[in-house]
Amino acid sequence: MKLFEQIMFFFVIVQIIGLLVGNVIISDLTKNPYVNNLVVTNDINEPMNAGFFLVYVLFGAVFIILLIRMNFLRDMLFKILEFFMIAGSSSIVFYAILRLAFGYDISTTGGTVFGLILSGIKFYKPQIKNLAAIISTAGVGVIFGISMGITPMIIFLALLAIYDFVAVFLTKHMVEMANFVVKNDLAFT
């Protein structure tokens, strides 16, 4: 499979998983406190949420660049950060899959356990980075989807496009991050 086709395949898979997981999460939103805590804003239709998430992205980028440029324990810090990011975000996907057959308690516990297992396997077997990235990205996408209404989401995506242009072509820090991710076999930033 050519690289472009592989990327498009992964993109479509993430979207399908995200939609299926999102459907389960939305139906459980008011019933399960674990799921309710995934919403990170008070009013999903508030346009300022776009600014909140953009600031979150900017602080995250600054944090990652600082970690990349630090030599002291850098590689281990990234692996630990990635471990928790994969475990947390993939647990959302595993929760939703388990919810198709089980109640809230089993699904919440099982989702957490399977998230930790996937993250642990990725920690020792970097070859599964694409699988970990697909599952984790779908989980993070659900958080964005349930935390922002359509207007804040459109504003956020427009601001994110501007940030991406600046980060890739002007400051080039996103290129630095991408090179580090590839070099260290990381699945998730």
Side-chain angles (χ1 to χ4, degrees):
M1 190 180 295
K2 294 179 185 173
L3 181 60
F4 178 76
E5 292 169 347
Q6 187 178 15
I7 291 170
M8 289 306 297
F9 175 74
F10 289 162
F11 176 80
V12 169
I13 293 298
V14 167
Q15 302 313 307
I16 291 169
I17 293 170
L19 288 170
L20 295 173
V21 170
N23 188 44
V24 172
I25 296 298
I26 287 171
S27 70
D28 284 357
L29 207 53
T30 58
K31 303 172 195 163
N32 185 343
Y34 166 75
V35 172
N36 194 27
N37 289 332
L38 295 176
V39 179
V40 295
T41 58
N42 292 331
D43 178 6
I44 66 168
N45 293 311
E46 172 59 48
M48 291 303 294
N49 290 344
F52 167 77
F53 279 106
L54 185 66
V55 168
Y56 181 79
V57 167
L58 292 173
F59 276 113
V62 168
F63 177 71
I64 289 172
I65 287 295
L66 289 174
L67 279 181
I68 288 172
R69 293 180 182 173
M70 285 179 11
N71 287 326
F72 179 70
L73 296 177
R74 174 187 65 196
D75 294 342
M76 186 52 68
L77 287 173
F78 261 97
K79 289 192 183 290
I80 292 168
L81 179 64
E82 182 186 51
F83 178 88
F84 286 108
M85 292 298 294
I86 290 172
S89 56
S90 66
S91 70
I92 297 165
V93 175
F94 292 124
Y95 165 85
I97 292 168
L98 292 170
R99 269 296 287 131
L100 298 174
F102 300 103
Y104 303 124
D105 293 337
I106 291 173
S107 299
T108 301
T109 303
T112 302
V113 168
F114 285 128
L116 288 168
I117 289 171
L118 174 66
S119 198
I121 293 170
K122 165 54 183 83
F123 191 82
Y124 291 104
K125 298 276 188 195
Q127 302 89 333
I128 69 158
K129 69 180 174 190
N130 289 338
L131 175 66
I134 287 168
I135 294 172
S136 298
T137 301
V140 170
V142 168
I143 293 172
F144 276 101
I146 63 174
S147 297
M148 278 194 279
I150 191 74
T151 301
M153 186 64 76
I154 290 170
I155 294 168
F156 173 68
L157 291 174
L159 293 171
L160 194 59
I162 294 166
Y163 163 72
D164 282 347
F165 177 83
V166 170
V168 172
F169 296 108
L170 300 179
T171 66
K172 298 187 187 327
H173 70 271
M174 196 172 292
V175 176
E176 182 180 352
M177 287 191 291
N179 287 334
F180 183 82
V181 167
V182 169
K183 180 181 150 209
N184 290 283
D185 255 341
L186 298 172
F188 201 75
T189 53

